Amino acid sequence: MKSISIRKIQPRDNVAIAQVIRTVFEQEGYPRTGTAYGDPQLDFLYETYQAPKSQYFVVEFEGRIQGGGGIASLDKGDTSTCELQKMYFLPDVRGKGVGQQLIQQCLTAAVQLGYHHSYLETLPQMKVAQHVYQKMGFTYLDAPMGSTGHTSCPVWMIKSL
């Protein structure tokens, strides 16, 4: 069996990671508005994550992009808080500990970039993801932070780094 690798996004990955994210939303029946699915930058993640204090990673399995996730400054948030963003995986890599590995890689990058907190938003249906986030030290918040535009994501979590 080929190994799973996590690496920084490259320009050639844009189409594949956008397709992964859209596929997850379509397969799971998640809302397409007010979520990452409708983000205008979804087709240009490499370029988006060239912004200061941001990084995006892709997950490769058997030679294909199967997931990804990243961090960036929280829009209209305080400068010490990053947002864990666009973390999605196709079924082939779920349940293999990849989520925890990728979250750890993102949080390590966040610390190196000078962040003190990591915030995220998710959907209520994403119970497995929430469980993983809790295992990684995220706790629930009562209200959103910043201005992400993800109005369909009413579950908010934060972690001190």
Side-chain angles (χ1 to χ4, degrees):
M1 180 164 92
K2 294 182 182 176
S3 65
I4 295 171
S5 64
I6 300 172
R7 61 171 174 77
K8 289 183 182 178
I9 192 169
Q10 298 296 315
R12 69 180 185 270
D13 301 327
N14 277 342
V15 171
I17 191 61
Q19 186 58 46
V20 164
I21 293 170
R22 287 187 179 106
T23 297
V24 170
F25 274 80
E26 292 162 4
Q27 287 177 346
E28 303 293 335
Y30 296 146
R32 296 183 189 183
T33 57
T35 62
Y37 190 97
D39 286 351
Q41 70 270 30
L42 189 58
D43 290 308
F44 309 99
L45 291 186
Y46 172 80
E47 291 79 5
T48 298
Y49 286 90
Q50 297 311 298
K53 294 183 74 172
S54 65
Q55 245 174 40
Y56 195 86
F57 301 94
V58 294
V59 175
E60 277 189 328
F61 176 62
E62 296 184 347
R64 293 182 35 232
I65 305 273
Q66 298 283 308
I71 53 140
S73 296
L74 177 61
D75 191 30
K76 295 185 176 65
D78 81 62
T79 57
S80 70
T81 302
C82 69
E83 182 185 8
L84 187 63
Q85 301 177 332
K86 294 178 182 51
M87 182 148 313
Y88 298 97
F89 304 95
L90 292 177
D92 285 352
V93 294
R94 292 181 195 158
K96 297 178 181 344
V98 177
Q100 288 178 292
Q101 289 175 24
L102 183 55
I103 292 167
Q104 188 56 58
Q105 197 154 342
C106 287
L107 297 178
T108 297
V111 169
Q112 292 169 348
L113 292 169
Y115 292 111
H116 299 286
H117 300 92
S118 183
Y119 169 79
L120 66 86
E121 297 177 335
T122 191
L123 294 164
Q125 308 92 301
M126 294 183 164
K127 297 291 187 202
V128 172
Q130 290 176 49
H131 179 72
V132 173
Y133 295 139
Q134 285 181 295
K135 281 177 68 172
M136 298 298 293
F138 283 84
T139 58
Y140 290 99
L141 293 170
D142 294 327
M145 295 174 63
S147 179
T148 66
H150 293 164
T151 55
S152 294
C153 296
V155 177
W156 315 287
M157 301 178 84
I158 195 161
K159 174 184 172 65
S160 293
L161 303 176

